[in-house]
Amino acid sequence: QVQLVESGGGLVQAGGSLRLSCAASRRTVDTSVMGWFRQAPGKEREFVAAITWSGRNTYYAEFVKGRFTISIDIAKDTLYLQMNSLKPEDTAVYSCALKKSYGAYGVGIAYDYWGQGTQVTVSS
């Protein structure tokens, strides 16, 4: 069993930045991809970004391209999401997830483990 713990959320003004972290309790031998998803009140969960464990390949939702950067520190088994130029519509609970296979990076149900989430609130 892998536990994922997010941190770094908070309240920020529009145009500001936050850096989210997601620490994995251990690395499974078949960990392939880690990703970030978000869910705003009254909305469905949506894909934000994903990265292969090697860090070689990244994938982004269109609405965060150029503003968010996903990265991974393999030595620390930690995933990051640098969020810049934040907008009020970015307000949501952000959750990290781990996937044991490649492909379907934007599909939440394809991920095997999930963190509890961290709240990000962007004020206007």
Side-chain angles (χ1 to χ4, degrees):
Q1 187 74 10
V2 177
Q3 291 185 332
L4 303 175
V5 180
E6 301 96 336
S7 61
L11 174 64
V12 64
Q13 289 188 331
S17 299
L18 282 174
R19 188 193 194 201
L20 305 183
S21 299
C22 171
S25 59
R26 66 180 183 88
R27 185 190 313 173
T28 66
V29 295
D30 50 357
T31 297
S32 298
V33 176
M34 293 194 75
W36 289 99
F37 289 75
R38 70 185 188 185
Q39 186 166 21
K43 295 186 177 180
E44 293 192 353
R45 183 174 59 194
E46 62 181 353
F47 169 73
V48 176
I51 187 169
T52 53
W53 187 257
S54 67
R56 188 173 298 126
N57 298 306
T58 57
Y59 308 87
Y60 293 95
E62 197 63 36
F63 57 81
V64 301
K65 284 184 179 178
R67 298 191 300 127
F68 293 8
T69 302
I70 190 170
S71 62
I72 195 164
D73 186 331
I74 298 174
K76 296 181 178 180
D77 290 343
T78 300
L79 176 73
Y80 301 98
L81 184 68
Q82 178 66 45
M83 304 186 296
N84 299 327
S85 302
L86 283 162
K87 306 175 182 180
E89 51 264 43
D90 292 319
T91 295
V93 174
Y94 285 71
S95 299
C96 65
L98 184 154
K99 194 171 181 297
K100 297 191 288 184
S101 60
Y102 293 102
Y105 304 108
V107 181
I109 59 173
Y111 285 75
D112 301 286
Y113 299 99
W114 288 85
Q116 292 296 313
T118 184
Q119 177 70 46
V120 171
T121 303
V122 184
S123 62
S124 57

